Amino acid sequence: MLSISSLTLVDFGPYRGQQRIDLTRDEGVFLIYGPNGRGKTNLHNAFRWALYGYTLDRRRRGAPESIANSESRKTAGHASFKTILEFRYGDELAGTRRH
């Protein structure tokens, strides 16, 4: 059975530095909830970027340069970000990376 095992973000949207979300469970559904303005849509866009290579901004494709964390952009002097989505198939681990 194929399942998502983790999502790692590096300077993606409001998520500064490296953030890893572990999604390993035998069964069930993961729900992501919280108050408005806390990054749920950005997290959804991180999955979308890792899988399809684009994000949505108010129902239109977002510009990749606008995805990078603004504080990291100021520090580094350029915009960069990364998403890593890891899958598990049985005992095998595979992943997809987008920069």
Side-chain angles (χ1 to χ4, degrees), residues 14-15 32-46:
Y15 304 100
I32 298 170
Y33 65 94
N36 289 342
R38 298 294 187 233
K40 298 179 301 293
T41 300
N42 280 292
L43 188 58
H44 186 191
N45 269 326

Side-chain angles (χ1 to χ4, degrees), residues 5-7 12 15 17 27 29 34 45-47 55 59 69 84 92 96 99:
S5 61
S6 70
L7 174 66
F12 190 95
Y15 304 100
E27 298 178 17
V29 175
N45 269 326
F47 278 101
T55 64
R59 299 189 188 144
N69 180 274
I84 304 167
E92 298 288 323
T96 179
H99 302 268

Side-chain angles (χ1 to χ4, degrees), residues 68-94:
N69 180 274
S70 60
E71 291 299 315
S72 295
R73 183 178 12 209
K74 289 176 193 174
T75 303
H78 58 86
S80 68
F81 62 90
K82 178 171 38 174
T83 60
I84 304 167
L85 188 58
E86 293 182 334
F87 297 89
R88 184 165 294 284
Y89 183 75
D91 292 335
E92 298 288 323
L93 187 64

Side-chain angles (χ1 to χ4, degrees), residues 53-66:
Y54 70 90
T55 64
L56 292 180
D57 182 22
R58 304 257 188 229
R59 299 189 188 144
R60 294 186 313 256
R61 287 192 180 206
E65 59 273 5
S66 68

